[in-house]
Amino acid sequence: MSDASPILWWVRRDLRLADNPALASACGSGRPVVPVFIHDGSVAALGAAAKWRLGQGVEHFARMLGARNSRLILRRGAALEVLRALVAETGAGAVIWSRAYDPDSVARDKAVKAALSTDGIEARSVPGFLLFEPWTVETGQGAFYRVYTPFWKAVRDRPVAEPQPAPGIIPRPERWPATEEIESWRMGAAMRRGAAVVARHACVGEEAAQDRLAAFVEARIADYKARRDFPAANATSHLSENLTCGEISPRALWHAGLSAMDAGKAGAEHFLKEIVWREFAWHLMWHSPHIATANWREGWDSFPWSTDETAAEVLAWKQGRTGIPLVDAGMREMYVTGRMHNRTRMIVASYLTKHLMTHWQVGLKWFADHLTDWDPAANAMGWQWVAGSGPDAAPYFRIFNPVSQAEKFDPDHAYLDAWIAEGRVRPSDTALSYFEAVPPSWGLSPADRYPASVVSAEEGRRRALAAYEARSG
Ligand SMILES: Cc1cc2nc3c(=O)[nH]c(=O)nc-3n(C[C@H](O)[C@H](O)[C@H](O)COP(=O)(O)OP(=O)(O)OC[C@H]3O[C@@H](n4cnc5c(N)ncnc54)[C@H](O)[C@@H]3O)c2cc1C
């Protein structure tokens, strides 16, 4: 295989040109670069909103590459078969990609690497999705971290390379292989009419992500620590949807945070800590992949959580109709925007797993279907943290009171007004757009009466504590 043969750049969750080690390495190889995105089983398995959002990102990235005199080749099929076919069609001698860390991707990538190597094709994976490779952070005893604070202390002073600019030129092959059309993939099909509503809130692509980061550092990072818990405050970066698609690198966030610290912006260190929560989530998933599928602490297997996804109370939770305003506001925010504020994520998760005594997996699945920033590691860690079954979890008996949480974090009801329409004389546009997004079969209207609570804050707390005490005793 000559060195002038093309290199396939297998594009995955790294939809960016800047600070992309896989792309930089492909361009640095001196070979023509053939970027390819594969719609394989891992894409097919995504929840509705996550798949739609990835489709938006891929479509945008294809346009970006086109503007750089390159092209994104789209193919559907099993990754190895597609890569082998492209090797045959292009005469490529090498394949490179940015690493993924969830168990299914790890297994697939290992098999692809082994098979391509047997074929005599150079196959290489490089970092780029995380700041710290999960296996490089170890306790003094050589184990992985189960608790966040020591993990933070172990990494906070580690050198992190500066983000690299986009390559000047992406060398193109003499002939491009055929590509499929993204429209034929129907990535938004499962969103139905909700897609048009969520689209108003998405911020797609590398430039948009960079602008978002710049605006956050300019106007909000200084007050981040003080204001990040107030869901109506627009105090956070909103970069999770971009990070999960790889439209911006974690190094870009890290260095923006460091510069803001140097400039004396008080909230910046807390922003770095939150970025490290993302690292910690992937560290946990890498070392204990069952975090997404089973109680991390086996002791919770006997807890009497219900797994009935169609119980009336659970349907009310999913539809934002529990009658607990802060819970309903959070669930509606997610339905309309594809995101939910971190504080309300904790509150709705607590209400489901404690007040409604329903298994965290029911909630994890609903989130996976409705979040545009869905991230398997952060989602699993978040649910198990709230439920009490995870590593470094909040103790089960510490139950969020959704009424006092609303008084504390939404004292002027700005968040509730943004998301609840029923009973308001002049409901906000965002609150009304919920009714535009949900399936007509739910039969909901802004003119409905706001429901009475399915389980009150006090009753739910009593029930949950009784179950916990019975288990402990
Ligand atoms: C039940 C539950 C489910 C969650 N599911 C997801 C998910 O699917 N995808 C997801 O990205 N986050 C998830 N989170 C974490 C968190 O809520 C979001 O990362 C955050 O709200 C994103 O908003 P932001 O980008 O404005 O964050 P910022 O406050 O601006 O923080 C910057 C970045 O740090 C990371 N981060 C912040 N908080 C956390 C956290 N608690 N855990 C892990 N990373 C964090 C994110 O990458 C975020 O974009 C979940 C939390 C809970 C409690």
Side-chain angles (χ1 to χ4, degrees):
M1 203 68 65
S2 92
D3 273 348
S5 66
I7 179 166
L8 301 181
W9 167 32
W10 181 11
V11 177
R12 294 122 62 96
R13 289 195 173 262
D14 57 336
L15 302 175
R16 64 178 183 275
L17 301 177
D19 200 33
N20 188 324
L23 172 62
S25 178
C27 292
S29 70
R31 301 164 182 259
V33 179
V34 180
V36 52
F37 181 87
I38 304 173
H39 184 314
D40 70 349
S42 70
V43 175
L46 288 172
K51 193 189 287 183
W52 170 82
R53 178 61 179 83
L54 182 63
Q56 298 287 302
V58 170
E59 199 176 342
H60 184 93
F61 192 58
R63 283 200 297 276
M64 270 180 81
L65 282 172
R68 300 290 294 260
N69 204 23
S70 180
R71 198 174 285 187
L72 184 60
I73 304 301
L74 305 176
R75 292 283 174 97
R76 190 175 186 138
L80 179 59
E81 279 170 30
V82 169
L83 292 170
R84 276 184 164 152
L86 282 168
V87 164
E89 290 168 40
T90 61
V95 183
I96 192 162
W97 64 82
S98 175
R99 266 176 218 139
Y101 305 88
D102 62 283
D104 291 346
S105 302
V106 170
R108 174 198 61 195
D109 293 352
K110 263 191 190 159
V112 166
K113 200 179 263 186
L116 290 176
S117 303
T118 308
D119 295 350
I121 303 298
E122 181 193 335
R124 203 153 63 85
S125 62
V126 293
F129 188 72
L130 297 176
L131 294 171
F132 313 108
E133 295 299 90
W135 51 89
T136 66
V137 191
E138 286 185 340
T139 66
Q141 291 71 45
F144 70 96
Y145 283 93
R146 291 160 167 81
V147 179
Y148 167 80
T149 303
F151 181 83
W152 157 251
K153 288 183 181 159
V155 299
R156 67 180 170 194
D157 296 323
R158 280 195 178 192
V160 171
E162 293 269 354
Q164 298 301 304
I169 292 174
I170 306 174
R172 43 185 286 139
E174 275 171 25
R175 264 195 323 278
W176 287 105
T179 180
E180 295 175 24
E181 297 299 326
I182 195 157
E183 293 75 27
S184 71
W185 290 356
R186 305 189 65 245
M187 299 279 278
M191 293 276 282
R192 301 194 198 89
R193 66 183 192 151
V197 177
V198 177
R200 294 177 209 151
H201 301 274
C203 189
V204 179
E206 183 170 1
E207 276 179 20
Q210 286 171 352
D211 290 349
R212 217 174 206 180
L213 177 61
F216 171 70
V217 170
E218 171 69 27
R220 306 199 295 277
I221 201 170
D223 293 334
Y224 178 75
K225 185 174 180 196
R227 302 184 67 224
R228 60 179 287 274
D229 272 322
F230 293 82
N234 186 24
T236 67
S237 74
H238 309 301
L239 281 162
S240 49
E241 66 168 314
N242 307 106
L243 280 167
T244 197
C245 289
E247 293 167 344
I248 195 160
S249 72
R251 291 198 297 211
L253 270 70
W254 187 257
H255 280 276
L258 287 180
S259 304
M261 262 176 82
D262 289 346
K265 297 192 175 178
E269 188 185 17
H270 207 85
F271 183 60
L272 298 182
K273 285 186 174 169
E274 294 304 322
I275 299 167
V276 168
W277 269 107
R278 173 177 181 267
E279 298 287 320
F280 183 54
W282 280 104
H283 180 81
L284 289 174
M285 177 161 267
W286 170 264
H287 289 286
S288 48
H290 68 281
I291 191 167
T293 49
N295 293 317
W296 199 85
R297 295 168 195 272
E298 282 171 18
W300 284 87
D301 289 352
S302 57
F303 195 69
W305 272 317
S306 161
T307 52
D308 181 358
E309 295 185 35
T310 57
E313 294 170 353
V314 175
L315 283 180
W317 178 83
K318 290 179 176 177
Q319 296 186 347
R321 299 268 301 162
T322 64
I324 302 286
L326 190 56
V327 172
D328 295 342
M331 297 305 287
R332 294 176 189 204
E333 181 189 15
M334 176 167 70
Y335 211 94
V336 168
T337 68
R339 297 192 309 274
M340 194 194 301
H341 190 275
N342 183 57
R343 174 128 309 256
T344 28
R345 285 187 213 219
M346 294 191 292
I347 290 162
V348 304
S350 171
Y351 189 77
L352 183 76
T353 55
K354 296 177 182 177
H355 292 78
L356 301 187
M357 292 284 296
T358 298
H359 203 290
W360 57 265
Q361 282 178 344
V362 173
L364 174 140
K365 224 168 107 193
W366 187 254
F367 270 32
D369 216 24
H370 292 87
L371 284 173
T372 50
D373 72 2
W374 178 71
D375 170 302
N379 196 28
M381 180 184 73
W383 275 98
Q384 294 231 41
W385 184 87
V386 174
S389 56
D392 198 11
Y396 183 88
F397 53 80
R398 206 174 286 158
I399 296 174
F400 283 101
N401 179 328
V403 176
S404 57
Q405 286 281 309
E407 284 160 9
K408 187 165 174 198
F409 293 108
D410 190 35
D412 55 2
H413 301 173
Y415 185 70
L416 300 188
D417 288 341
W419 297 112
I420 309 277
E422 298 95 321
R424 265 59 171 184
V425 180
R426 250 178 255 99
S428 65
D429 289 346
T430 44
L432 289 173
S433 62
Y434 176 68
F435 298 88
E436 214 185 301
V438 297
S441 60
W442 287 7
L444 303 183
S445 155
D448 292 342
R449 284 171 71 96
Y450 185 66
S453 58
V454 289
V455 173
S456 73
E458 303 74 34
E459 183 195 344
R461 183 183 162 76
R462 256 197 317 275
R463 230 168 53 166
L465 285 178
Y468 180 74
E469 275 151 23
R471 170 185 173 271
S472 315

